[in-house]
Amino acid sequence: MKKITILPGDGIGKEVTAEGRKVLEKIAATFGHQFEFNEALIGHDAILATGNALPDKTLSILKNADAILFGAVGHPHYDNDPSLKVRPEQGLLKMRKELGLYANLRPIKLFDELLEASSIKPEILKGADILFFRELTGDVYFGERGRKDNDNTAFDVMIYSRYEIERIAHKAFTAAKNRKCHVTSVDKANVLESSRLWRAVVQEVSQDYPEVKLTHMFVDTAAMKLIQSPRSFDVVLTGNLFGDILTDEASQIAGSMGMLASASIGDSVGLYEPIHGSAHDITGKGIANPLASILSAALMLDISFNMKEEAQSIIDAVSQTLKEGFRTIDIANNKTAKDKILSTEEMGDRIAQGIGIRETTPTN
Ligand code: NAD
């Protein structure tokens, strides 16, 4: 029995996690597993109900879970008023800190069927397969911050400790051993002291992995090379701020924000979530792409439960569905997918139907 907590959160978070759960239920039925699901509050809904973006009740449920499927948090109310002190994203940051989730893994791999949907040329993109390791609990997001000079000067301290760098570096090098044995560590060591420590510690850790090639790269160069030659990367290791920006850039390699899954791991429970936010502009329209949430569920099966075959069956179902020309609107390509636009729920249904079936016949 595996206890899975669903944290739908806000906006399209609710819509896409419903489809992720649907697919996990199909996996349980197909492969004979027992998954016990429960749901808890986070974000705007949690603030409305309790005044707190991550209520204590939610935290204790999470600490007892075997894995967490998270949607997204965020609401226009807060986006339009930066002065509000209690904010949905505090729930997310606190959850990462409390659960010790220090490594965010973001696989960037384009399904061949979506080559045309990317804004990058197919010949540059085909075959790109990158695994990002973004550090999650340090950097400017957690350093001292404040205002001085009568509010006319603001500061956010970029801070990293040796142990924070070591533990994620070990995870990245270990993953690289099972891939193409190449880690690119991204920093800004020509300017920033925290990056100089980052670079020195990563260099030290690399000594334990002689089979893995290590490249150091400045973040500005990395931003350029990701678009220019995405195939030159295997594992990318970077800090919280640079990782935040680079992974959104790299989402263009995968065609859409709606396709990218992520895993946040530490030394206990794993959290699985799409990289996109609550997308107020499309909330309630039934058009959100649920594939990032569904692929996050596949990562959960792979990483937290070591259910490799089950995880692969989800990826196969996604691939087959795309091959048959079915799309949500964000990844639609009118030349090949005309008249095969699916709603969020329909896409979830198709993937669930495809679980355990390797080759299906197109139905229209
Ligand atoms: P966003 O990721 O929500 O949306 C960016 C764009 O991508 C929008 O046009 C949206 O419609 C589109 N998009 C995103 N996911 C999609 C999907 N599954 N299917 C189809 N289209 C999709 O980012 P944003 O607009 O900058 O932020 C909206 C809110 O989300 C804000 O309140 C922000 O704070 C929050 N946010 C939360 C998280 C999180 O919870 N992890 C991450 C990023 C942003």
Side-chain angles (χ1 to χ4, degrees):
M1 160 82 78
K2 302 285 184 200
K3 284 188 282 182
I4 300 173
T5 297
I6 310 279
L7 285 182
D10 304 319
I12 65 164
K14 294 184 177 65
E15 301 168 34
V16 298
T17 47
E19 304 312 311
R21 176 178 176 158
K22 182 186 288 176
V23 169
L24 284 169
E25 283 168 350
K26 183 67 190 294
I27 287 284
T30 306
F31 290 86
H33 298 303
Q34 281 205 309
F35 295 155
E36 181 189 287
F37 295 95
N38 58 7
E39 291 204 2
L41 287 177
I42 189 170
H44 175 60
D45 280 3
I47 294 172
L48 289 182
T50 69
N52 185 344
L54 184 70
D56 291 346
K57 188 174 168 202
T58 297
L59 197 53
S60 75
I61 292 172
L62 297 179
K63 285 184 174 166
N64 279 311
D66 293 315
I68 304 160
L69 187 70
F70 170 59
V73 289
H75 191 276
H77 178 58
Y78 310 88
D79 296 348
N80 298 333
D81 185 356
S83 69
L84 287 171
K85 292 275 179 281
V86 181
R87 311 183 60 80
E89 56 270 26
Q90 290 164 346
L92 183 55
L93 295 180
K94 186 172 172 205
M95 176 166 65
R96 288 173 178 164
K97 202 73 174 172
E98 290 279 339
L99 299 177
L101 302 170
Y102 59 81
N104 185 233
L105 277 66
R106 296 190 179 186
I108 310 272
K109 190 175 179 184
L110 182 67
F111 286 89
D112 278 353
E113 296 75 20
L114 294 183
L115 273 173
E116 299 295 335
S118 172
S119 39
I120 304 173
K121 287 184 195 139
E123 61 271 26
I124 290 181
L125 216 47
K126 196 167 170 31
D129 179 1
I130 308 172
L131 179 57
F132 272 89
F133 279 76
R134 168 190 168 195
E135 203 288 331
L136 219 49
T137 56
D139 212 337
V140 282
Y141 298 130
F142 293 97
E144 194 190 339
R145 70 187 55 182
R147 297 274 182 110
K148 52 187 185 181
D149 303 336
N150 290 328
D151 256 15
N152 290 315
T153 303
F155 59 92
D156 299 270
V157 175
M158 182 177 260
I159 183 164
Y160 264 118
S161 305
R162 166 175 289 274
Y163 85 97
E164 290 174 314
I165 305 166
E166 275 173 359
R167 62 186 182 178
I168 190 165
H170 280 294
K171 293 243 184 260
F173 280 99
T174 304
K177 283 204 301 187
N178 295 319
R179 294 172 49 99
K180 293 182 206 139
C181 286
H182 182 200
V183 169
T184 304
S185 175
V186 175
D187 59 38
K188 188 74 182 166
N190 49 343
V191 179
L192 302 171
E193 196 53 37
S194 54
S195 277
R196 286 185 199 116
L197 178 68
W198 179 279
R199 189 173 281 222
V201 174
V202 171
Q203 187 68 41
E204 279 170 37
V205 170
S206 74
Q207 307 303 312
D208 292 348
Y209 304 87
E211 66 277 56
V212 179
K213 179 181 160 199
L214 171 63
T215 305
H216 296 286
M217 194 176 281
F218 296 136
V219 61
D220 37 355
T221 309
M224 184 261 291
K225 286 218 176 282
L226 270 173
I227 300 298
Q228 184 195 52
S229 51
R231 277 195 300 263
S232 64
F233 294 94
D234 176 22
V235 171
V236 177
L237 166 63
T238 190
N240 207 345
L241 177 64
F242 299 152
D244 193 357
I245 299 165
L246 290 180
T247 51
D248 267 24
E249 180 192 351
S251 74
Q252 284 312 296
I253 294 174
S256 162
M257 298 279 278
M259 292 300 298
L260 278 187
S262 82
S264 298
I265 57 171
D267 296 320
S268 59
V269 62
L271 173 92
Y272 300 86
E273 57 174 311
I275 78 156
H276 62 72
S278 47
H280 322 302
D281 52 341
I282 57 168
T283 297
K285 296 183 177 164
I287 58 171
N289 184 345
L291 292 177
S293 181
I294 289 170
L295 291 167
S296 299
L299 275 181
M300 173 194 292
L301 296 173
D302 184 354
I303 297 173
S304 279
F305 302 157
N306 198 26
M307 296 178 179
K308 307 281 180 202
E309 190 189 341
E310 291 83 340
Q312 191 58 44
S313 80
I314 295 180
I315 295 166
D316 289 346
V318 170
S319 178
Q320 184 62 30
T321 300
L322 295 173
K323 210 175 278 171
E324 290 168 11
F326 295 102
R327 303 280 189 273
T328 44
I329 202 144
D330 57 308
I331 50 171
N333 171 352
N334 288 334
K335 288 199 290 282
T336 57
K338 216 172 173 200
D339 300 327
K340 292 188 178 180
I341 303 297
L342 301 183
S343 69
T344 308
E345 206 180 330
E346 287 166 340
M347 181 58 94
D349 288 343
R350 283 211 84 85
I351 305 301
Q353 281 160 20
I355 300 294
I357 304 170
R358 283 199 174 263
E359 291 297 327
T360 53
T361 313
T363 50
N364 66 341

